[in-house]
């Protein structure tokens, strides 16, 4: 009987911890307000990405990635960042919430743009 109760308490504890982890992830958000996903942008002008971030309890700041490569460290939680001109073609712009060690915590937002 003690073993059964111990297993039930362990399962309850793991479930509670799992839900707590999910709540932490939900507290962190990233919004990219510009450019819109699927936007067509001019290759002759710099691209400005506007964003708003809530890092949550595990996040510290954000990194900006262009086509999977880190392009900038963004210390402001809300603002914009100008990118140098991008080559013509499709590009993916992502903002990822990272911790103090610059490790992504799994919360990000990406948009794909077509530079023409």
């Amino acid at each position: 009987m003690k073993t059964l109760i111990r297993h039930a308490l362990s399962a309850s504890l793991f479930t509670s911890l799992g839900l707590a982890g999910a709540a932490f992830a939900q507290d962190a958000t990233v919004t990219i307000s510009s450019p819109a996903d699927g936007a067509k942008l001019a290759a002759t002008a710099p691209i400005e990405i506007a964003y708003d971030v809530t890092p949550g309890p595990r996040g510290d700041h954000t990194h900006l990635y262009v086509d999977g490569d880190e392009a900038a460290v963004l210390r402001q939680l809300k603002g914009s960042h100008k990118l140098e001109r991008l080559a013509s073609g499709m590009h993916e712009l992502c903002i990822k919430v990272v911790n103090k060690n610059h490790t992504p915590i799994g919360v990000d937002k990406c948009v794909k743009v077509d530079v023409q």
Side-chain angles (χ1 to χ4, degrees):
M1 185 65 157
K2 287 182 183 179
T3 303
L4 182 60
I5 292 171
R6 214 174 304 143
H7 286 300
L9 288 174
S10 294
S12 176
L13 177 62
F14 284 120
T15 301
S16 295
L17 290 175
L19 291 176
F24 281 146
Q26 289 175 352
D27 288 343
T29 62
V30 178
T31 303
I32 296 176
S33 55
S34 177
D37 192 35
K40 293 182 181 182
L41 307 173
T44 58
I47 295 169
E48 189 166 340
I49 184 164
Y51 62 92
D52 189 2
V53 175
T54 302
R58 293 182 6 203
D60 181 66
H61 61 282
T62 59
H63 289 186
L64 170 63
Y65 294 83
V66 177
D67 299 328
D69 294 324
E70 186 176 311
V73 174
L74 305 174
R75 297 275 180 200
Q76 292 181 315
L77 297 178
K78 183 175 184 173
S80 62
H81 181 81
K82 282 190 180 178
L83 292 167
E84 295 299 316
R85 294 181 179 137
L86 296 177
S88 295
M90 295 297 294
H91 296 280
E92 183 176 59
L93 311 176
C94 295
I95 294 179
K96 297 181 181 186
V97 177
V98 299
N99 62 22
K100 289 182 181 182
N101 294 324
H102 303 278
T103 304
I105 66 166
V107 178
D108 59 32
K109 177 66 177 173
C110 299
V111 294
K112 291 185 180 180
V113 295
D114 185 3
V115 176
Q116 303 176 341

